[in-house]
Amino acid sequence: MSAFELDSSRCEGHGVCVDAAPHLLALDDEGELVLLAETFGDADADAAADAALVCPVAALRVVGPGEASS
Amino acid sequence: MSTSARSSLVIVGAGLAGVRAAESARNAGHDGSIVLVGAETALPYERPQVTKEALLAGASPRHYVEHDQLVGRLGVQLRLGTRATGLDRRRRLLRTADGKIGYDALVVATGAQPTPCPWGNLDGQVSTVRTARDAVLLHRVLTGRRRVVVVGAGLIGSEIASAAQALGAEVTLVERGCGPLEASHGRSLAEHLARLHRTAGTRLVTGAAVTSLVRAGASVAVDLGSGERIVAEHVVWAVGVRSDLGWLVGSGIRVAEGVLCTTAMVTNDPAVFVAGDAAQVVATDGPQAAPRSMSQSMAAAQGLVAGHNAVTPPGSWSRTTATPYFWSTWYDRRIQGVGVPSARSTVLQEGGGTLHLYEHRGRLTGAVGIDAKASVRRVRELLREGSSSGAHAAREMTGRPA
């Protein structure tokens, strides 16, 4: 299992990531990013990786199993 | 998946598109080398901040990635402060000011540079803004300057005018159209955005072209076609950007305004890819491509595709499908554009904000929101679902017609 790591000091709620993985990410009514699942499996790995890479402000990262957050 | 352990990916340009290409190549299983060549000496940083936060604060923008992440985690060899000077496709060599670098696959991500002022920089009294260094220098210049003229009321010019005003300058913004973004987004939005400037106290002169720029003692005299002369201590030239592709001349890579590529971000040479502001997508290989969209979010999306495709065989190439998106902040108002504009627009009010919805032949194509985050989010969803008419979208919005 992998997980998203969201840097909320960077996230500005642009929502570009949501287009890449709408089943994993959403914006709430205040425009804050919500992670729909704490972790995800291999089937979602490509969509999750793309979601992190399309973020225009580098607020989202994918961390692999056992990888410590910094 | 990966080409070979020894294969070498060289990325020219260390902005967001270049960094994303490197990350994407690693995600695709590339275990060969990655060399990231950047003309600026700074680590990759958030360019949208250059004319926003960095200009206001006089500080460098945030980095996208720190040195250990790039070098340690991604295994990228950094060649910063190195300018590309030429390309030898036959021998697969990138020429730089510091020598040659061999490649198996190359990603061009050299971005765009401000169109220079035709009257020069008048010993520093006229400037353009693109880099972190430009922002820090301009912050110093603007602080304490009484009168500043900004030429061009596009997103960049408007952001600079807003920052200059916040720094205490008396700002005149000179624009050819009737307001910001008229050429791309039409009159209704342009007039609305013009009001933002005027309400904030910026003097916006529309329908105006600069006919000459000359020094007048310690000041600069800006002459307009109308005969008006504006005297200022400093002038910022913000009349668009262009990609400097002179280093590709003679390489055989096809270029027009940008490097021509398909939606797979590949050029006419299958070993050479392009991403970001330097790219010009031509739809020869599938659905109609969106108009050239030079934005941070397009740079990221194209970098992702270019990096992936540069290290994988053509059968597994991905293509750009990203919805164009930009954002801008003037006078603490947030402007967001999603999708593509079209000739027909509907204006809706949302709380304290406004949404300009665009439709073509009854179908929603995009929107620009001013302090309308929730509606912009909904438009993004409708565009993703791909089935909405403009009228349907308008009904969906909580607002009422303006």
Side-chain angles (χ1 to χ4, degrees):
Chain A
M1 301 295 270
S2 301
F4 283 117
E5 189 176 272
L6 176 67
D7 183 340
S8 45
S9 72
R10 282 178 176 264
C11 181
E12 298 177 20
H14 294 299
V16 181
C17 58
V18 178
D19 277 352
H23 55 300
L24 299 174
L25 301 158
L27 290 180
D28 69 14
D29 288 340
E30 277 70 52
E32 299 283 323
L33 188 67
V34 181
L35 308 181
L36 298 178
E38 288 293 311
T39 57
F40 49 83
D42 289 349
D44 290 323
D46 285 350
D50 285 359
L53 289 194
V54 294
C55 173
V57 293
L60 197 61
R61 201 159 92 83
V62 171
V63 290
E67 202 179 323
S69 65
S70 51
Chain B
M1 198 146 180
S2 172
T3 35
S4 103
R6 278 191 301 276
S7 79
S8 171
L9 171 64
V10 174
I11 300 167
V12 196
L16 182 61
V19 170
R20 291 306 200 230
E23 293 179 287
S24 181
R26 287 292 183 230
N27 282 352
H30 175 66
D31 53 7
S33 66
I34 299 179
V35 182
L36 184 63
V37 180
E40 292 178 57
T41 52
L43 280 171
Y45 57 83
E46 292 197 34
R47 197 168 303 279
Q49 290 194 347
V50 163
T51 45
K52 301 183 181 78
E53 295 89 340
L55 181 54
L56 270 174
S60 286
R62 279 189 310 213
H63 293 144
Y64 277 115
V65 280
E66 295 309 327
H67 187 270
D68 359 334
Q69 240 182 313
L70 258 183
V71 174
R73 189 170 63 83
L74 285 171
V76 168
Q77 300 167 41
L78 282 175
R79 298 285 295 271
L80 299 177
T82 303
R83 191 170 288 278
T85 55
L87 187 65
D88 181 341
R89 292 194 301 130
R90 199 176 48 80
R91 292 191 289 162
R92 294 199 173 174
L93 286 173
L94 172 74
R95 291 201 199 89
T96 78
D98 299 329
K100 294 171 187 163
I101 304 170
Y103 66 86
D104 296 299
L106 185 85
V107 175
V108 176
T110 45
Q113 293 73 36
T115 307
C117 171
W119 293 276
N121 77 350
L122 304 187
D123 296 325
Q125 280 186 295
V126 180
S127 52
T128 57
V129 191
R130 184 68 177 175
T131 66
R133 189 168 170 274
D134 294 340
V136 173
L137 290 176
L138 186 62
H139 173 89
R140 271 186 229 148
V141 166
L142 292 179
T143 308
R145 286 296 188 287
R146 208 156 52 79
R147 295 167 301 177
V148 173
V149 171
V150 179
V151 182
L155 296 176
I156 297 295
S158 292
E159 289 175 2
I160 293 166
S162 165
Q165 236 240 7
L167 292 171
E170 184 187 299
V171 186
T172 303
L173 182 56
V174 176
E175 164 61 32
R176 197 175 271 275
C178 75
L181 310 186
E182 186 189 5
S184 55
H185 286 75
R187 195 172 183 95
S188 163
L189 181 72
E191 286 174 348
H192 187 123
L193 295 176
R195 284 197 295 278
L196 292 191
H197 282 300
R198 291 181 172 134
T199 306
T202 291
R203 181 172 173 245
L204 174 66
V205 184
T206 55
V210 174
T211 54
S212 96
L213 261 181
V214 288
R215 289 196 68 154
S219 305
V220 184
V222 181
D223 286 325
L224 304 183
S226 62
E228 181 182 352
R229 165 169 283 201
I230 309 166
V231 177
E233 278 76 48
H234 193 79
V235 175
V236 183
W237 193 262
V239 188
V241 294
R242 64 183 190 192
S243 290
D244 177 9
L245 300 170
W247 64 280
L248 287 173
V249 169
S251 69
I253 295 292
R254 290 176 54 221
V255 303
E257 283 174 38
V259 176
L260 298 177
C261 63
T262 71
T263 53
M265 307 316 292
V266 67
T267 68
N268 58 306
D269 179 335
V272 179
F273 299 77
V274 60
D277 287 354
Q280 186 176 352
V281 179
V282 283
T284 55
D285 63 334
Q288 183 64 39
R292 192 172 179 210
S293 171
M294 299 166 94
S295 69
Q296 204 61 7
S297 91
M298 204 46 83
Q302 294 179 345
L304 189 163
V305 171
H308 176 274
N309 295 352
V311 298
T312 53
S316 57
W317 280 0
S318 58
R319 292 174 188 279
T320 44
T321 54
T323 301
Y325 174 74
F326 68 83
W327 77 96
S328 188
T329 307
W330 322 339
Y331 318 107
D332 294 322
R333 311 293 294 267
R334 165 142 296 202
I335 295 134
Q336 293 169 288
V338 65
V340 291
S342 48
R344 197 180 139 80
S345 69
T346 308
V347 186
L348 303 171
Q349 299 297 327
E350 180 213 87
T354 310
L355 187 76
H356 292 248
L357 272 180
Y358 293 92
E359 62 181 307
H360 181 63
R361 292 182 181 160
R363 285 181 73 83
L364 176 70
T365 62
V368 174
I370 297 133
D371 288 341
K373 256 180 132 173
S375 293
V376 170
R377 177 196 67 169
R378 186 64 191 131
V379 170
R380 183 183 282 287
E381 286 168 6
L382 292 171
L383 290 172
R384 188 165 68 232
E385 291 157 10
S387 59
S388 194
S389 72
H392 169 71
R395 278 197 304 276
E396 275 249 340
M397 301 300 157
T398 50
R400 56 180 172 76

